[in-house]
Amino acid sequence: MFNSLKSVQIFSRGLKFSILAATSSALMILSIGSASAVEENSNYIGPSIGFTNGTTLYGVNSKFRVIDSVSVRPFIQFANSSTGNATVYGGTVTYDFSIPQSGLVPYLGFGLLEVNTTGTASGRGGGYFEAGVDYNATDNISLNANYKTGQYGLVNIGGGYRF
């Protein structure tokens, strides 16, 4: 194992450099990001409900901040009906706008989704544009609403535990 472990953060010209170094086995990790970037508790995961073409979908949505204003938002939703079942999953890359002191984070993005069906239910995947807003209700809870364009048009609302 490592005899000594040291961590250093350097802030320069709006960038944050984090270096983790270990002696003995020569492990070194370098991370570069925006100094103003990722706010604490900006990621979340939680339940969601979606509506499209008279069908209700239940699932899980999430948000993972990549850099300052860019996030990845994977999701999975399920629908059950008399004609069959559907599983819809995918992810969106979004640009997040921040409204200071309001808790609101509107966003726009592009994503891909896949639809798997059973029975006589049908569906296709593909690309879509997404517009939505997160509301940071507390330090640990975020609420979300969004609209995905594409073949169907999908409205989602949900919440999540922030971490």
Side-chain angles (χ1 to χ4, degrees), residues 68-83:
D68 192 14
S69 295
V70 177
S71 297
V72 175
R73 297 170 182 266
F75 69 92
I76 186 166
Q77 293 183 307
F78 307 95
N80 298 316
S81 71
S82 59
T83 60

Side-chain angles (χ1 to χ4, degrees), residues 51-98:
F51 307 97
T52 182
N53 293 341
T55 302
T56 303
L57 300 103
Y58 302 94
V60 175
N61 68 354
S62 59
K63 171 187 166 187
F64 299 98
R65 181 76 56 94
V66 179
I67 58 172
D68 192 14
S69 295
V70 177
S71 297
V72 175
R73 297 170 182 266
F75 69 92
I76 186 166
Q77 293 183 307
F78 307 95
N80 298 316
S81 71
S82 59
T83 60
N85 301 323
T87 302
V88 181
Y89 58 93
T92 312
V93 175
T94 63
Y95 184 84
D96 306 335
F97 305 90
S98 182

Side-chain angles (χ1 to χ4, degrees), residues 6-64:
K6 300 192 191 270
S7 178
V8 176
Q9 288 189 341
I10 303 165
F11 295 88
S12 173
R13 298 180 190 231
L15 291 177
K16 177 176 76 172
F17 298 86
S18 299
I19 302 170
L20 176 65
T23 59
S24 177
S25 293
L27 169 69
M28 183 174 188
I29 299 172
L30 172 65
S31 168
I32 302 173
S34 172
S36 62
V38 181
E39 64 181 83
E40 288 187 32
N41 297 340
S42 61
N43 303 319
Y44 65 78
I45 188 166
S48 69
I49 185 168
F51 307 97
T52 182
N53 293 341
T55 302
T56 303
L57 300 103
Y58 302 94
V60 175
N61 68 354
S62 59
K63 171 187 166 187
F64 299 98

